[in-house]
Amino acid sequence: MVKMVRSSRIFSDCVIFSFLMLICFGMTYATESDIFCLRNVKESLTDPYNYLWSWDFNNKTEGFICKFTGVECWHPDENRVLNLKLSNMGLKGQFPRAIQNCSSLTGLDLSINKLSLTIPGDISTLLAFVTSLDLSSNDFSGEIPVSLANCTYLNHITLDQNQLTGQIPAEFSLLPRLKTFSVANNLLTGPVPKFRQNIVTEESYANNSGLCGPPLDPCQAQSSKSNTAVIAGAAVGGVTVSILGIGIGLFFYVRRLPLKKKEEDPEGNKWARSLKGTKAVKVSIFENSVSKMKLSDLMKATGNFSKSNIIGSGRTGTVYKAILDDGTTLMIKRLQQSQHSDKEFMSEMATLGTVKHRNLVPLLGFCQTKKERLLVYKNMPNGVLHDLLHPAEGGSTVEWSLRLKIAIGAAKGLAWLHHSCNPRIIHRNISSKCILLGEDFEPKISDFGLARLMNPIDTHLSTFVNGEFGDFGYVAPEYARTLVATPKGDVYSFGTVLLELVTGERPNRVAKAPETFKGNLVEWVTDLSSNAKLHDAVDESLVGKGVDDEIFQCLKVACKCVGATPKERPSMFEVYQLLRAIGSKYNFTIEDDIMVPIDTGDAGNLEELIVARDGK
């Protein structure tokens, strides 16, 4: 009996040992495979803005790839990729086939990049276990591969705003777990799949003029008899007029060639063609100084929304430069799909149209047609603050007085939104990319009110944390926990902008930090502050020009704004007042239109900051 028990235990131990060995072998293989996967994905893509700078494969610690930008792991100490989120990074190239080596991948988001050519026909072998796929806002062309229907774990498919052609594979209706499916703003044709109820709406197919079938208009079926008659008639007619047609065609070909090239401009935005029958739609205008316009005027002014006229893009939409016949220059923003109904959108526009301030980009009007929503803004001749501070070619420097002027004006605009605007507005997406520069480089905040318009429920701000609304480096740390937008979250984001102005560094990558440092701008400055080396953060081009004291005061205000908890941060009114005091000798500001009663807590914070500023 004892021998039997002992033998049983030995057998059980062997089984457990073998099972553990199999798990360890599988984890080791997954680790090596996933590292190989990410290394090859990075090598296959062009990263013009260096968003993937943190992908350092020289590190061999446990879970090191889990600290890479856009990488989520099954466990922080295990190199197995769960989700890959590389949205809005400007990445170029083809669909990265190396993704197949991320053997545990369940989510892939490559949206809002510049990926092109076709989606691989064997995509089901590359993404065997994926549950969520987002390839929207790229330049993918060709047909949607039928093999995608073999990814039976898919819950969400988003292929919006590409140049996909052909039919949507009917096999997609057989995907057992599919909850959402969207292919809006493509060039698709033919009948749509017969999905289960509530999976798709008309918006899922918007701006694909060739699609038909529920929930869209019925497909126009023709009998075989009528088809035969049409074919026979066409054959006879073709023989009769072919010679005459060729002659006329050759005559007009040469004369119409320049016009044809213009109409078939490969840079043209093909989604705009679907608006052909709605050009007479009027643009609602808020200001009398702007002449009345129709949609046709906007299309003409943007070259039918030509890609060559794109001056910016983000999660809320794409911005086009528009030049009217009278020479007036405007900015037209084409919004991404909104969760608001038409009535709610009209109401929101009516509110935003009344929001006027010297340091806000004026919303001049809007147009709504065929699910398209276009916003008309006054043009800002000096571009975007981000491009001024971080030019693509590098080497540009901006003098301190201009940086301080921009900081004060932007703070004033944001403080007005928080404290004096009715209704008060939390921006939710403050960054150097949404601060535009008007004449004399007067800063003006754009996109105010749009984050709420695109996503009206605060608890949905988990998408903000994942980079869908904001840029990496600007998001306040408490969003990951609370998922609620607050004014102090805007203060944190603005503090990051101040750090950009003082240091000249990007928010997500610090060029002059040691190679071993893998954090963002806020973390780098925080480390320097804790080690009494805060002066090392200042842009070297600003040092020794008689303004060191002003720069350091501004840096301390920025550090207060990016405090770890909301309670540590000042209000935007306090930030504006502090910056205004620092730049008092320059006479940047005119009338002060922000009247905010300061309660005891705010007064205490303000007094503390003034003491820190004056060094008393």
PDB file of all heavy atoms in Angstrom, residues 128-154:
ATOM      1  N   ALA A 128      -4.080  35.740 -35.614  1.00  0.00           N
ATOM      2  CA  ALA A 128      -4.935  34.585 -35.355  1.00  0.00           C
ATOM      3  C   ALA A 128      -5.889  34.776 -34.187  1.00  0.00           C
ATOM      4  O   ALA A 128      -7.020  34.269 -34.211  1.00  0.00           O
ATOM      5  CB  ALA A 128      -4.066  33.350 -35.116  1.00  0.00           C
ATOM      6  N   PHE A 129      -5.470  35.513 -33.137  1.00  0.00           N
ATOM      7  CA  PHE A 129      -6.287  35.607 -31.929  1.00  0.00           C
ATOM      8  C   PHE A 129      -6.773  37.023 -31.638  1.00  0.00           C
ATOM      9  O   PHE A 129      -7.201  37.316 -30.534  1.00  0.00           O
ATOM     10  CB  PHE A 129      -5.491  35.082 -30.729  1.00  0.00           C
ATOM     11  CG  PHE A 129      -5.009  33.679 -30.898  1.00  0.00           C
ATOM     12  CD1 PHE A 129      -3.672  33.415 -31.153  1.00  0.00           C
ATOM     13  CD2 PHE A 129      -5.897  32.614 -30.839  1.00  0.00           C
ATOM     14  CE1 PHE A 129      -3.225  32.118 -31.327  1.00  0.00           C
ATOM     15  CE2 PHE A 129      -5.462  31.312 -31.007  1.00  0.00           C
ATOM     16  CZ  PHE A 129      -4.125  31.059 -31.259  1.00  0.00           C
ATOM     17  N   VAL A 130      -6.706  37.909 -32.606  1.00  0.00           N
ATOM     18  CA  VAL A 130      -7.054  39.304 -32.373  1.00  0.00           C
ATOM     19  C   VAL A 130      -8.557  39.453 -32.127  1.00  0.00           C
ATOM     20  O   VAL A 130      -9.378  38.794 -32.769  1.00  0.00           O
ATOM     21  CB  VAL A 130      -6.610  40.175 -33.568  1.00  0.00           C
ATOM     22  CG1 VAL A 130      -7.461  39.914 -34.805  1.00  0.00           C
ATOM     23  CG2 VAL A 130      -6.637  41.646 -33.213  1.00  0.00           C
ATOM     24  N   THR A 131      -8.891  40.298 -31.158  1.00  0.00           N
ATOM     25  CA  THR A 131     -10.300  40.577 -30.850  1.00  0.00           C
ATOM     26  C   THR A 131     -10.715  41.978 -31.292  1.00  0.00           C
ATOM     27  O   THR A 131     -11.891  42.256 -31.441  1.00  0.00           O
ATOM     28  CB  THR A 131     -10.566  40.445 -29.340  1.00  0.00           C
ATOM     29  OG1 THR A 131      -9.784  41.413 -28.629  1.00  0.00           O
ATOM     30  CG2 THR A 131     -10.220  39.047 -28.860  1.00  0.00           C
ATOM     31  N   SER A 132      -9.728  42.877 -31.475  1.00  0.00           N
ATOM     32  CA  SER A 132     -10.019  44.253 -31.879  1.00  0.00           C
ATOM     33  C   SER A 132      -8.999  44.690 -32.916  1.00  0.00           C
ATOM     34  O   SER A 132      -7.786  44.585 -32.691  1.00  0.00           O
ATOM     35  CB  SER A 132      -9.975  45.185 -30.658  1.00  0.00           C
ATOM     36  OG  SER A 132     -10.177  46.534 -31.033  1.00  0.00           O
ATOM     37  N   LEU A 133      -9.496  45.213 -34.061  1.00  0.00           N
ATOM     38  CA  LEU A 133      -8.615  45.649 -35.151  1.00  0.00           C
ATOM     39  C   LEU A 133      -9.058  47.025 -35.619  1.00  0.00           C
ATOM     40  O   LEU A 133     -10.191  47.216 -36.042  1.00  0.00           O
ATOM     41  CB  LEU A 133      -8.689  44.662 -36.317  1.00  0.00           C
ATOM     42  CG  LEU A 133      -7.881  45.041 -37.567  1.00  0.00           C
ATOM     43  CD1 LEU A 133      -6.386  45.061 -37.261  1.00  0.00           C
ATOM     44  CD2 LEU A 133      -8.167  44.063 -38.709  1.00  0.00           C
ATOM     45  N   ASP A 134      -8.152  48.014 -35.542  1.00  0.00           N
ATOM     46  CA  ASP A 134      -8.447  49.377 -35.973  1.00  0.00           C
ATOM     47  C   ASP A 134      -7.363  49.834 -36.951  1.00  0.00           C
ATOM     48  O   ASP A 134      -6.225  50.086 -36.555  1.00  0.00           O
ATOM     49  CB  ASP A 134      -8.511  50.322 -34.774  1.00  0.00           C
ATOM     50  CG  ASP A 134      -9.056  51.711 -35.150  1.00  0.00           C
ATOM     51  OD1 ASP A 134      -9.140  52.023 -36.359  1.00  0.00           O
ATOM     52  OD2 ASP A 134      -9.397  52.479 -34.229  1.00  0.00           O
ATOM     53  N   LEU A 135      -7.731  49.923 -38.241  1.00  0.00           N
ATOM     54  CA  LEU A 135      -6.817  50.392 -39.286  1.00  0.00           C
ATOM     55  C   LEU A 135      -7.333  51.686 -39.904  1.00  0.00           C
ATOM     56  O   LEU A 135      -6.954  52.044 -41.018  1.00  0.00           O
ATOM     57  CB  LEU A 135      -6.667  49.320 -40.381  1.00  0.00           C
ATOM     58  CG  LEU A 135      -6.179  47.943 -39.932  1.00  0.00           C
ATOM     59  CD1 LEU A 135      -6.086  47.001 -41.127  1.00  0.00           C
ATOM     60  CD2 LEU A 135      -4.826  48.043 -39.240  1.00  0.00           C
ATOM     61  N   SER A 136      -8.197  52.405 -39.198  1.00  0.00           N
ATOM     62  CA  SER A 136      -8.845  53.588 -39.750  1.00  0.00           C
ATOM     63  C   SER A 136      -7.866  54.735 -39.968  1.00  0.00           C
ATOM     64  O   SER A 136      -6.796  54.788 -39.382  1.00  0.00           O
ATOM     65  CB  SER A 136      -9.975  54.040 -38.821  1.00  0.00           C
ATOM     66  OG  SER A 136      -9.471  54.390 -37.547  1.00  0.00           O
ATOM     67  N   SER A 137      -8.278  55.671 -40.845  1.00  0.00           N
ATOM     68  CA  SER A 137      -7.519  56.901 -41.128  1.00  0.00           C
ATOM     69  C   SER A 137      -6.092  56.609 -41.577  1.00  0.00           C
ATOM     70  O   SER A 137      -5.128  57.124 -41.034  1.00  0.00           O
ATOM     71  CB  SER A 137      -7.527  57.821 -39.899  1.00  0.00           C
ATOM     72  OG  SER A 137      -8.833  58.217 -39.568  1.00  0.00           O
ATOM     73  N   ASN A 138      -5.971  55.745 -42.584  1.00  0.00           N
ATOM     74  CA  ASN A 138      -4.708  55.473 -43.243  1.00  0.00           C
ATOM     75  C   ASN A 138      -4.916  55.617 -44.747  1.00  0.00           C
ATOM     76  O   ASN A 138      -5.893  56.227 -45.191  1.00  0.00           O
ATOM     77  CB  ASN A 138      -4.193  54.072 -42.876  1.00  0.00           C
ATOM     78  CG  ASN A 138      -3.499  54.037 -41.526  1.00  0.00           C
ATOM     79  OD1 ASN A 138      -2.390  54.514 -41.369  1.00  0.00           O
ATOM     80  ND2 ASN A 138      -4.172  53.464 -40.528  1.00  0.00           N
ATOM     81  N   ASP A 139      -4.021  55.066 -45.540  1.00  0.00           N
ATOM     82  CA  ASP A 139      -4.144  55.118 -47.001  1.00  0.00           C
ATOM     83  C   ASP A 139      -4.193  53.723 -47.601  1.00  0.00           C
ATOM     84  O   ASP A 139      -3.706  53.496 -48.710  1.00  0.00           O
ATOM     85  CB  ASP A 139      -2.961  55.899 -47.600  1.00  0.00           C
ATOM     86  CG  ASP A 139      -3.018  57.372 -47.249  1.00  0.00           C
ATOM     87  OD1 ASP A 139      -4.111  57.951 -47.332  1.00  0.00           O
ATOM     88  OD2 ASP A 139      -1.977  57.943 -46.876  1.00  0.00           O
ATOM     89  N   PHE A 140      -4.786  52.776 -46.885  1.00  0.00           N
ATOM     90  CA  PHE A 140      -4.912  51.421 -47.420  1.00  0.00           C
ATOM     91  C   PHE A 140      -5.839  51.428 -48.633  1.00  0.00           C
ATOM     92  O   PHE A 140      -6.877  52.101 -48.638  1.00  0.00           O
ATOM     93  CB  PHE A 140      -5.467  50.472 -46.355  1.00  0.00           C
ATOM     94  CG  PHE A 140      -4.485  50.136 -45.265  1.00  0.00           C
ATOM     95  CD1 PHE A 140      -4.724  50.516 -43.953  1.00  0.00           C
ATOM     96  CD2 PHE A 140      -3.308  49.458 -45.554  1.00  0.00           C
ATOM     97  CE1 PHE A 140      -3.822  50.216 -42.947  1.00  0.00           C
ATOM     98  CE2 PHE A 140      -2.400  49.148 -44.548  1.00  0.00           C
ATOM     99  CZ  PHE A 140      -2.659  49.537 -43.253  1.00  0.00           C
ATOM    100  N   SER A 141      -5.460  50.667 -49.644  1.00  0.00           N
ATOM    101  CA  SER A 141      -6.268  50.579 -50.868  1.00  0.00           C
ATOM    102  C   SER A 141      -6.536  49.107 -51.169  1.00  0.00           C
ATOM    103  O   SER A 141      -6.148  48.219 -50.415  1.00  0.00           O
ATOM    104  CB  SER A 141      -5.528  51.248 -52.028  1.00  0.00           C
ATOM    105  OG  SER A 141      -4.251  50.658 -52.214  1.00  0.00           O
ATOM    106  N   GLY A 142      -7.199  48.869 -52.304  1.00  0.00           N
ATOM    107  CA  GLY A 142      -7.531  47.493 -52.671  1.00  0.00           C
ATOM    108  C   GLY A 142      -8.743  46.984 -51.923  1.00  0.00           C
ATOM    109  O   GLY A 142      -9.448  47.729 -51.239  1.00  0.00           O
ATOM    110  N   GLU A 143      -8.988  45.697 -52.024  1.00  0.00           N
ATOM    111  CA  GLU A 143     -10.173  45.097 -51.428  1.00  0.00           C
ATOM    112  C   GLU A 143      -9.919  44.648 -49.984  1.00  0.00           C
ATOM    113  O   GLU A 143      -8.777  44.404 -49.594  1.00  0.00           O
ATOM    114  CB  GLU A 143     -10.630  43.899 -52.266  1.00  0.00           C
ATOM    115  CG  GLU A 143     -11.051  44.279 -53.688  1.00  0.00           C
ATOM    116  CD  GLU A 143     -11.651  43.113 -54.436  1.00  0.00           C
ATOM    117  OE1 GLU A 143     -11.598  41.976 -53.920  1.00  0.00           O
ATOM    118  OE2 GLU A 143     -12.180  43.336 -55.542  1.00  0.00           O
ATOM    119  N   ILE A 144     -11.011  44.564 -49.236  1.00  0.00           N
ATOM    120  CA  ILE A 144     -10.933  44.025 -47.875  1.00  0.00           C
ATOM    121  C   ILE A 144     -10.761  42.516 -47.985  1.00  0.00           C
ATOM    122  O   ILE A 144     -11.580  41.835 -48.616  1.00  0.00           O
ATOM    123  CB  ILE A 144     -12.210  44.350 -47.078  1.00  0.00           C
ATOM    124  CG1 ILE A 144     -12.444  45.857 -47.019  1.00  0.00           C
ATOM    125  CG2 ILE A 144     -12.128  43.765 -45.675  1.00  0.00           C
ATOM    126  CD1 ILE A 144     -13.764  46.247 -46.385  1.00  0.00           C
ATOM    127  N   PRO A 145      -9.696  41.946 -47.429  1.00  0.00           N
ATOM    128  CA  PRO A 145      -9.453  40.507 -47.605  1.00  0.00           C
ATOM    129  C   PRO A 145     -10.533  39.637 -46.975  1.00  0.00           C
ATOM    130  O   PRO A 145     -10.949  39.876 -45.840  1.00  0.00           O
ATOM    131  CB  PRO A 145      -8.096  40.292 -46.912  1.00  0.00           C
ATOM    132  CG  PRO A 145      -7.938  41.449 -45.990  1.00  0.00           C
ATOM    133  CD  PRO A 145      -8.651  42.597 -46.624  1.00  0.00           C
ATOM    134  N   VAL A 146     -10.961  38.632 -47.732  1.00  0.00           N
ATOM    135  CA  VAL A 146     -11.990  37.705 -47.246  1.00  0.00           C
ATOM    136  C   VAL A 146     -11.471  36.937 -46.034  1.00  0.00           C
ATOM    137  O   VAL A 146     -12.236  36.575 -45.133  1.00  0.00           O
ATOM    138  CB  VAL A 146     -12.397  36.724 -48.367  1.00  0.00           C
ATOM    139  CG1 VAL A 146     -13.428  35.731 -47.858  1.00  0.00           C
ATOM    140  CG2 VAL A 146     -12.941  37.479 -49.564  1.00  0.00           C
ATOM    141  N   SER A 147     -10.163  36.702 -45.983  1.00  0.00           N
ATOM    142  CA  SER A 147      -9.604  35.888 -44.897  1.00  0.00           C
ATOM    143  C   SER A 147      -9.811  36.514 -43.530  1.00  0.00           C
ATOM    144  O   SER A 147      -9.700  35.832 -42.509  1.00  0.00           O
ATOM    145  CB  SER A 147      -8.109  35.650 -45.133  1.00  0.00           C
ATOM    146  OG  SER A 147      -7.368  36.832 -44.912  1.00  0.00           O
ATOM    147  N   LEU A 148     -10.120  37.819 -43.486  1.00  0.00           N
ATOM    148  CA  LEU A 148     -10.367  38.457 -42.200  1.00  0.00           C
ATOM    149  C   LEU A 148     -11.545  37.788 -41.485  1.00  0.00           C
ATOM    150  O   LEU A 148     -11.637  37.814 -40.252  1.00  0.00           O
ATOM    151  CB  LEU A 148     -10.646  39.952 -42.401  1.00  0.00           C
ATOM    152  CG  LEU A 148     -10.645  40.848 -41.156  1.00  0.00           C
ATOM    153  CD1 LEU A 148      -9.315  40.764 -40.430  1.00  0.00           C
ATOM    154  CD2 LEU A 148     -10.935  42.290 -41.543  1.00  0.00           C
ATOM    155  N   ALA A 149     -12.435  37.172 -42.269  1.00  0.00           N
ATOM    156  CA  ALA A 149     -13.580  36.467 -41.682  1.00  0.00           C
ATOM    157  C   ALA A 149     -13.146  35.221 -40.921  1.00  0.00           C
ATOM    158  O   ALA A 149     -13.939  34.640 -40.162  1.00  0.00           O
ATOM    159  CB  ALA A 149     -14.583  36.089 -42.769  1.00  0.00           C
ATOM    160  N   ASN A 150     -11.895  34.786 -41.117  1.00  0.00           N
ATOM    161  CA  ASN A 150     -11.384  33.621 -40.382  1.00  0.00           C
ATOM    162  C   ASN A 150     -10.868  33.993 -39.004  1.00  0.00           C
ATOM    163  O   ASN A 150     -10.511  33.099 -38.220  1.00  0.00           O
ATOM    164  CB  ASN A 150     -10.266  32.956 -41.188  1.00  0.00           C
ATOM    165  CG  ASN A 150     -10.778  32.361 -42.493  1.00  0.00           C
ATOM    166  OD1 ASN A 150     -11.914  31.906 -42.568  1.00  0.00           O
ATOM    167  ND2 ASN A 150      -9.948  32.391 -43.526  1.00  0.00           N
ATOM    168  N   CYS A 151     -10.790  35.295 -38.703  1.00  0.00           N
ATOM    169  CA  CYS A 151     -10.390  35.740 -37.357  1.00  0.00           C
ATOM    170  C   CYS A 151     -11.628  35.679 -36.464  1.00  0.00           C
ATOM    171  O   CYS A 151     -12.289  36.692 -36.198  1.00  0.00           O
ATOM    172  CB  CYS A 151      -9.819  37.156 -37.404  1.00  0.00           C
ATOM    173  SG  CYS A 151      -8.300  37.305 -38.361  1.00  0.00           S
ATOM    174  N   THR A 152     -11.955  34.504 -36.034  1.00  0.00           N
ATOM    175  CA  THR A 152     -13.252  34.263 -35.389  1.00  0.00           C
ATOM    176  C   THR A 152     -13.377  34.872 -34.001  1.00  0.00           C
ATOM    177  O   THR A 152     -14.456  34.860 -33.411  1.00  0.00           O
ATOM    178  CB  THR A 152     -13.520  32.750 -35.300  1.00  0.00           C
ATOM    179  OG1 THR A 152     -12.421  32.127 -34.634  1.00  0.00           O
ATOM    180  CG2 THR A 152     -13.667  32.161 -36.690  1.00  0.00           C
ATOM    181  N   TYR A 153     -12.267  35.404 -33.445  1.00  0.00           N
ATOM    182  CA  TYR A 153     -12.344  36.028 -32.130  1.00  0.00           C
ATOM    183  C   TYR A 153     -12.654  37.523 -32.213  1.00  0.00           C
ATOM    184  O   TYR A 153     -12.797  38.185 -31.183  1.00  0.00           O
ATOM    185  CB  TYR A 153     -11.021  35.836 -31.375  1.00  0.00           C
ATOM    186  CG  TYR A 153     -10.694  34.391 -31.085  1.00  0.00           C
ATOM    187  CD1 TYR A 153      -9.791  33.696 -31.888  1.00  0.00           C
ATOM    188  CD2 TYR A 153     -11.301  33.720 -30.020  1.00  0.00           C
ATOM    189  CE1 TYR A 153      -9.492  32.368 -31.629  1.00  0.00           C
ATOM    190  CE2 TYR A 153     -11.006  32.387 -29.761  1.00  0.00           C
ATOM    191  CZ  TYR A 153     -10.096  31.716 -30.571  1.00  0.00           C
ATOM    192  OH  TYR A 153      -9.811  30.407 -30.314  1.00  0.00           O
ATOM    193  N   LEU A 154     -12.761  38.072 -33.404  1.00  0.00           N
ATOM    194  CA  LEU A 154     -12.940  39.508 -33.572  1.00  0.00           C
ATOM    195  C   LEU A 154     -14.242  40.008 -32.949  1.00  0.00           C
ATOM    196  O   LEU A 154     -15.316  39.470 -33.219  1.00  0.00           O
ATOM    197  CB  LEU A 154     -12.919  39.877 -35.056  1.00  0.00           C
ATOM    198  CG  LEU A 154     -11.542  40.139 -35.664  1.00  0.00           C
ATOM    199  CD1 LEU A 154     -11.629  40.235 -37.178  1.00  0.00           C
ATOM    200  CD2 LEU A 154     -10.931  41.415 -35.084  1.00  0.00           C
TER     201      LEU A 154
END
